[in-house]
Amino acid sequence: MIRSVFRVLCLLTVLAAPAHAQDRAAVDRQFEGWLKQQVWPRAEAKGVSRDTFDAAFKGVTLDWDLPDLVPPGSKPKTPKQQRQAEFGQPAKYFSRGSLDYATREGRKMANVYARPLAAAEARTGVPGRIVLGIWGRESNYGSAAIPHDVFRVLGTKGFMSTRAAYFTDELVAALQIAEAGHAPSSAMKSSWAGALGQPQFMPTNFLSYATDGDGDGHADIWRSEADTIASIARYLQSHGWVKGRDWGFEVTVPASVSCTLEGPDQGKRISDWAAMGITRVSGRPFPDHEAQGEGFLLMPAGRSGPAFLVTPNF
């Protein structure tokens, strides 16, 4: 009798368990099979050893808290709101306190790393202040906490996300980075999207653009500020940075200029924008060398917010 009651209670416990818990266990098993059958052959073909592969995924499980997941057999849901500041309201991304802090720290970094910044600018044409701006935003000049295991993030998103193929490519690239020993295993931390190091490069971008800036023979975007600076500059150069042009200018837009002219697909010569009455907020004229270059009107917060004339470098 006692045994019968015990069996019934066990059955009721199983039946009462949340369906998603059982489903997740099954998906976890599928994930393990996917790693073995699909990811490992691709990684091996790229020169990744079995030891590196096994070490990367030791104890790794799916991260169900990541956004845009599509478990096997399900349909894509309405995407979660992105947690990166870039995808929020401009006022939050450009908050006064945040900008003041970034500027204050940026001035310090400009002095401390003046030589690698100048060297990177000489090689690529990308001004040091632009590199500093990106470095500060991406990782607070290397001081931001980057908490996620890159193999868990990219494994999860490669296995079941709305951009699975893209993240699988990034996962294989991360394994290549580990195989080459570019960073200690403890440094293979990433954002929730899989971005690495001080410049927050995706792994494929690391393989393409990471640069040795301190002359030690390694491109280390985790522990070397000089390498981080050189890598950011090379990335921008490779993506079309035009030497000698600025990124843009904050401007005042008169009411006579229609908001419909705003956008990255409506370029005009900066001299033409000036002829329409657009002026710099500083009161200075647009530089002569920029006047005949193309510019684009951007008003990220609408007519009531700040406005900019930006160049193709932006």
Side-chain angles (χ1 to χ4, degrees), residues 146-151 153-154 187-197 200:
I146 302 174
H148 300 285
D149 182 314
V150 69
F151 298 110
V153 167
L154 294 177
M188 292 299 281
K189 299 294 184 180
S190 75
S191 70
W192 63 261
L196 299 167
Q200 285 290 273

Side-chain angles (χ1 to χ4, degrees), residues 28-305:
D28 283 335
R29 290 192 294 273
Q30 292 181 57
F31 173 60
E32 293 173 5
W34 175 77
L35 289 175
K36 294 176 183 177
Q37 296 164 19
Q38 297 194 40
V39 179
W40 164 241
R42 288 188 55 184
E44 184 180 32
K46 291 290 187 178
V48 176
S49 69
R50 188 74 211 196
D51 286 346
T52 296
F53 185 86
D54 290 343
F57 292 106
K58 184 178 180 180
V60 168
T61 58
L62 290 169
D63 186 345
W64 291 88
D65 293 327
L66 294 174
D68 303 331
L69 299 184
V70 187
S74 66
K75 296 180 180 180
K77 298 179 181 178
T78 301
K80 291 183 181 180
Q81 183 176 1
Q82 301 283 11
R83 285 173 282 182
Q84 282 179 263
E86 297 93 322
F87 295 102
Q89 294 296 319
K92 293 182 179 179
Y93 191 57
F94 296 107
S95 67
R96 185 74 262 169
S98 176
L99 287 177
D100 286 345
Y101 176 80
T103 301
R104 185 169 61 251
E105 291 301 305
R107 290 195 179 107
K108 294 178 184 177
M109 293 295 179
N111 290 325
V112 173
Y113 299 107
R115 293 183 68 178
L117 285 165
E121 183 170 351
R123 283 195 302 268
T124 65
V126 179
R129 59 190 172 81
I130 299 297
V131 173
L132 283 170
I134 292 173
W135 185 18
R137 269 304 178 193
E138 290 296 343
S139 67
N140 196 18
Y141 308 105
S143 68
I146 302 174
H148 300 285
D149 182 314
V150 69
F151 298 110
R152 188 182 190 205
V153 167
L154 294 177
T156 299
K157 294 181 80 69
F159 175 63
M160 56 173 192
S161 78
T162 54
R163 300 174 65 198
Y166 166 77
F167 285 108
T168 302
D169 290 343
E170 296 296 340
L171 175 59
V172 173
L175 289 165
Q176 291 177 259
I177 292 170
E179 178 66 29
H182 291 298
S185 58
S186 60
M188 292 299 281
K189 299 294 184 180
S190 75
S191 70
W192 63 261
L196 299 167
Q198 296 190 46
Q200 285 290 273
F201 277 2
M202 293 302 289
T204 54
N205 284 335
F206 174 90
L207 295 177
S208 297
Y209 306 113
T211 303
D212 176 17
D214 56 20
D216 68 354
H218 302 282
D220 185 346
I221 63 171
W222 295 270
R223 297 162 295 185
S224 171
E225 288 76 12
D227 290 3
T228 296
I229 289 166
S231 298
I232 292 172
R234 183 184 174 195
Y235 179 93
L236 291 176
Q237 178 195 38
S238 299
H239 283 77
W241 184 274
V242 180
K243 184 177 181 179
R245 295 208 69 186
D246 208 327
W247 69 270
F249 311 91
E250 187 174 0
V251 296
T252 299
V253 181
S256 58
V257 175
S258 172
C259 289
T260 61
L261 296 176
E262 190 262 358
D265 57 346
Q266 301 193 76
K268 301 178 185 295
R269 289 184 303 179
I270 287 180
S271 60
D272 292 336
W273 290 113
M276 296 170 68
I278 291 178
T279 58
R280 296 176 67 180
V281 295
S282 66
R284 296 192 296 269
F286 293 104
D288 290 339
H289 70 275
E290 293 280 10
Q292 299 307 308
E294 190 173 29
F296 307 85
L297 178 62
L298 293 185
M299 293 186 285
R303 185 174 283 279
S304 61

